[in-house]
Amino acid sequence: MIRPALTLIAVLALGAAVFSLEPLGAQSTTEFRTAGEARDALDAARQQQRNARARGERLEQQAARSNEAAEKKAAEAAALAARVQQAEAAITAAEARHAIATRQRRALDSRLAQRREPLIRLTGALQSMSRRPLTLSALQPGSLRDLVHTRAVLDSTIPQVRRRTAALRSELERARALEAEARAALVDRRESEAELAARRTELVAAAQRERLVAQQASGGADREAQRALVLAEQARDLDTLVGQLEEAGSLRSELAALPGPIIRPANPSQASLSATPSPRASATAPPARYILPVAGRVARGFGESGEGGPRESGIVLVTRPKAQVVAPGAGRVVFAGPYRGYGRIAIVEHANGWTSLVTGLGSLDVDVGQDVTAGTALGLAASGSQGVSLELRRDGEPVNPLDYLQ
């Protein structure tokens, strides 16, 4: 009876281990409805991490090479914004990893619970037989015959028990591995949150410096901002506002392109008229570098219909509350402020008749008249679930911004 007793001890210890595993840590703040959604979010977050890291490194190198103070500061601020988005993506990735590990652990716990009952019955029977003294079995009538039969049954049962316990041990190791993965994801999230807080503090200071420099460099920025606010109050809708701002931008570009004054020649007979500059081949090219303004997933694409609403003239991105929003391309801010039904919005005028409209911001870090580059911090997303929308227009006509991402 020694072998059954030893096997019993191993099985009972295994059964205790099944239900002594510690519960998983705190749940993540992001909820995923299915395991597939969590995996998709993990893949997307890791890709966003890579993109933000590459953009941050490129901007840091650009800042290091720049000899002009203003350009250097702008690149450094944009690099900080990229690092903020990298930390945000790292948090989302950690939450997705935690959610995947939690779901797998729960499924494993369910399987172990189903296998617990027959295992308990088997170990209970073995325990009863193992507690029966061998001398008592020899003295009782028929006990020797029963003992022989019991031994034969145990010889055939113990291999089955060993196989089952081996499978359970494997699943227990898997459960411990999942628990370790979940705890590691929580640690990564806390580290990313700490990095995010530090980066945002730096970015707020950098953005404030950029705004001050822009205000000092542009003496007419206040008048332009007031004019933009008046247009916003008078415009019937957002399309009208964008159209009026584009007209003002076109007029400003035409005035800037006019030839300068010609010095009066000493001999009036040699005077000549200045020719109007002919358009270059690249006069209609889109922004050289165009990126998504915020890390998130596309909830509604270009041309899709919302809930009972008109077709989207841009895309809607679902992101984290108060996520970092950046300028999608280089240009000039022609509007920055609240607009009815859209929260705070920013309109960036690019070269060659292109315009970007970003809505759904909870706060703004730019002013009208400020020059921005692809990645300059515009502000933070709103706390609600409306998402951040991006529209790209070419000579007033909406186009799919996803076709121009670089």
Side-chain angles (χ1 to χ4, degrees):
M1 300 297 293
I2 295 177
R3 287 174 56 199
L6 293 177
T7 303
L8 171 62
I9 293 173
V11 172
L12 290 178
L14 180 63
V18 170
F19 300 97
S20 65
L21 289 176
E22 296 181 6
L24 292 175
Q27 297 297 315
S28 61
T29 57
T30 303
E31 296 295 333
F32 301 100
R33 290 171 295 182
T34 64
E37 182 177 317
R39 292 190 186 92
D40 291 342
L42 177 59
D43 293 339
R46 284 175 171 169
Q47 182 61 48
Q48 290 163 359
Q49 268 187 281
R50 289 191 289 269
N51 293 342
R53 183 186 299 111
R55 188 167 73 253
E57 292 173 352
R58 178 181 56 80
L59 289 167
E60 288 167 355
Q61 293 172 1
Q62 178 181 336
R65 291 193 303 266
S66 178
N67 296 322
E68 186 179 348
E71 182 181 348
K72 185 182 187 69
K73 294 295 184 184
E76 288 175 347
L80 277 175
R83 295 304 186 183
V84 167
Q85 290 189 326
Q86 179 183 342
E88 289 173 345
I91 294 173
T92 302
E95 290 177 345
R97 285 171 50 206
H98 185 274
I100 292 171
T102 300
R103 286 179 178 274
Q104 292 177 346
R105 168 70 185 276
R106 287 174 181 170
L108 185 56
D109 287 346
S110 178
R111 292 199 303 270
L112 290 174
Q114 292 174 0
R115 300 177 65 174
R116 179 192 182 201
E117 186 175 353
L119 181 61
I120 288 177
R121 289 200 302 267
L122 176 60
T123 55
L126 290 173
Q127 187 176 25
S128 297
M129 288 186 289
S130 65
R131 288 176 178 174
R132 188 177 185 183
L134 182 59
T135 55
L136 181 61
S137 299
L139 293 176
Q140 291 181 353
S143 295
L144 291 175
R145 185 174 59 253
D146 294 341
L147 182 60
V148 172
H149 288 301
T150 301
R151 184 58 178 270
V153 171
L154 288 175
D155 287 341
S156 61
T157 303
I158 288 174
Q160 296 292 333
V161 173
R162 285 175 175 167
R163 279 194 291 272
R164 291 191 180 187
T165 56
L168 286 174
R169 287 191 186 94
S170 175
E171 291 191 341
L172 280 174
E173 291 175 0
R174 173 62 176 159
R176 292 191 181 96
L178 290 173
E179 185 175 1
E181 167 62 17
R183 294 187 184 282
L186 290 175
V187 171
D188 289 346
R189 189 183 73 178
R190 294 189 190 101
E191 292 177 352
S192 298
E193 287 173 345
E195 180 182 0
L196 176 61
R199 295 288 190 180
R200 274 186 172 167
T201 301
E202 297 178 37
L203 182 59
V204 168
Q208 185 62 29
R209 290 194 298 268
E210 284 294 300
R211 295 175 75 171
L212 290 175
V213 170
Q215 290 173 0
Q216 294 171 358
S218 180
D222 290 340
R223 293 192 298 274
E224 187 178 352
Q226 291 296 328
R227 186 163 57 250
L229 289 176
V230 171
L231 290 176
E233 292 176 357
Q234 296 176 349
R236 299 190 312 272
D237 50 34
L238 194 55
D239 286 342
T240 304
L241 173 61
V242 174
Q244 291 174 340
L245 292 171
E246 286 177 343
E247 289 179 4
S250 298
L251 177 60
R252 186 167 53 250
S253 299
E254 290 175 3
L255 291 175
L258 288 176
I262 302 175
I263 300 176
R264 180 182 179 88
N267 184 358
S269 62
Q270 297 178 353
S272 62
L273 296 177
S274 175
T276 302
S278 58
R280 301 185 308 274
S282 60
T284 59
R289 184 178 296 276
Y290 202 75
I291 60 176
L292 290 177
V294 69
R297 64 178 179 85
V298 178
R300 292 197 299 276
F302 180 77
E304 293 184 7
S305 298
E307 297 180 0
R311 293 185 177 276
E312 293 289 344
S313 53
I315 61 174
V316 178
L317 298 162
V318 175
T319 186
R320 304 181 63 84
K322 297 184 178 180
Q324 183 64 55
V325 183
V326 300
R332 187 171 183 272
V333 178
V334 293
F335 186 87
Y339 190 79
R340 48 185 179 272
Y342 291 90
R344 291 176 174 81
I345 69 173
I347 301 177
V348 180
E349 176 187 276
H350 309 294
N352 306 326
W354 295 77
T355 304
S356 289
L357 167 64
V358 182
T359 70
L361 286 86
S363 63
L364 285 164
D365 293 329
V366 290
D367 291 324
V368 172
Q370 182 175 337
D371 290 329
V372 295
T373 187
T376 298
L378 293 180
L380 300 180
S383 301
S385 59
Q386 62 179 348
V388 174
S389 67
L390 169 65
E391 293 184 17
L392 178 62
R393 303 189 180 213
R394 179 177 56 194
D395 295 329
E397 292 297 323
V399 296
N400 188 353
L402 298 179
D403 293 340
Y404 298 90
L405 294 180
Q406 297 179 13

